[in-house]
Amino acid sequence: MTDLKFNELIDGFDQVLKDLKSMEPICSVKNFKVGKRDEKVSGVYLFSEEGKDLYIGRSRNIRQRYSGHTHNNPSSASFAVLLAREKTGKKASYVSGSESLKNLMRNSEFKAAFDEGRRRIKKMEFRYIEESCANRQALLEIYCAVELNTRYNKFRTH
């Protein structure tokens, strides 16, 4: 019984991934063509650069999530934090302590790398696919990350 339910959830993922990859990229949050500006679109999104798929994510509001990745708030700009960590070699922790994200943002080298990451993200290709079912969305995020071998997705806990 469980296998049938799971198989129903993942049915068609190969086509969904093809649809995601073939979508005309969006270069600005203003270019979202689905729905009205204040309408929420749920699904999975992809950041790519120079033909390389780098980061996949999911959200209940893709337009807002895209904006979050490019704004100055490190708690919502997780991809920019990953880029800054890579550039500086500094590990960011989401708990208190010297490696807390709050403390790292006080470090001029890390802050500069974070700002550079946000600018870089703004120039990346952005694609998304709608998916309203939370379970399918979670599984689709993992499926796409594995199939595309996105460099910045790590499904581990600390």
Side-chain angles (χ1 to χ4, degrees), residues 75-156:
S75 62
S76 65
S78 56
F79 187 23
V81 169
L82 290 172
L83 295 172
R85 285 175 53 193
E86 179 181 61
K87 182 163 181 109
T88 64
K90 296 183 183 301
K91 182 181 176 189
S93 170
Y94 291 93
V95 294
S96 61
S98 63
E99 292 184 340
S100 73
L101 188 52
K102 184 177 180 180
N103 283 335
L104 279 177
M105 290 304 289
R106 293 181 183 138
N107 176 289
S108 60
E109 178 190 13
F110 190 85
K111 176 70 167 102
F114 173 77
D115 291 339
E116 180 183 315
R118 289 184 312 113
R119 287 189 297 274
R120 182 177 165 195
I121 290 167
K122 285 180 182 180
K123 295 176 184 175
M124 289 183 186
E125 295 177 344
F126 181 79
R127 294 174 173 85
Y128 69 93
I129 197 85
E130 288 186 65
E131 178 53 62
S132 59
C133 172
N135 289 334
R136 250 180 87 82
Q137 197 182 92
L139 293 169
L140 183 58
E141 176 188 25
I142 295 168
Y143 174 83
C144 290
V146 169
E147 287 295 311
L148 297 174
N149 195 28
T150 50
R151 179 177 174 181
Y152 294 99
N153 286 98
K154 308 285 187 254
F155 296 99
R156 63 175 179 257

Side-chain angles (χ1 to χ4, degrees), residues 23-102:
M23 177 192 183
E24 185 71 28
I26 295 169
C27 298
S28 165
V29 73
K30 295 174 188 170
N31 292 342
F32 275 78
K33 295 179 174 117
V34 177
K36 299 175 184 169
R37 187 168 174 82
D38 58 350
E39 186 177 47
K40 291 181 182 180
V41 176
S42 300
V44 172
Y45 59 88
L46 172 65
F47 283 104
S48 305
E49 183 179 53
E50 297 176 1
K52 295 179 184 171
D53 301 318
L54 299 178
Y55 185 81
I56 199 102
R58 64 188 169 105
S59 179
R60 291 178 297 198
N61 187 337
I62 290 177
R63 184 188 317 271
Q64 183 179 8
R65 188 68 195 106
Y66 175 86
S67 292
H69 277 297
T70 60
H71 279 94
N72 197 27
N73 182 350
S75 62
S76 65
S78 56
F79 187 23
V81 169
L82 290 172
L83 295 172
R85 285 175 53 193
E86 179 181 61
K87 182 163 181 109
T88 64
K90 296 183 183 301
K91 182 181 176 189
S93 170
Y94 291 93
V95 294
S96 61
S98 63
E99 292 184 340
S100 73
L101 188 52
K102 184 177 180 180

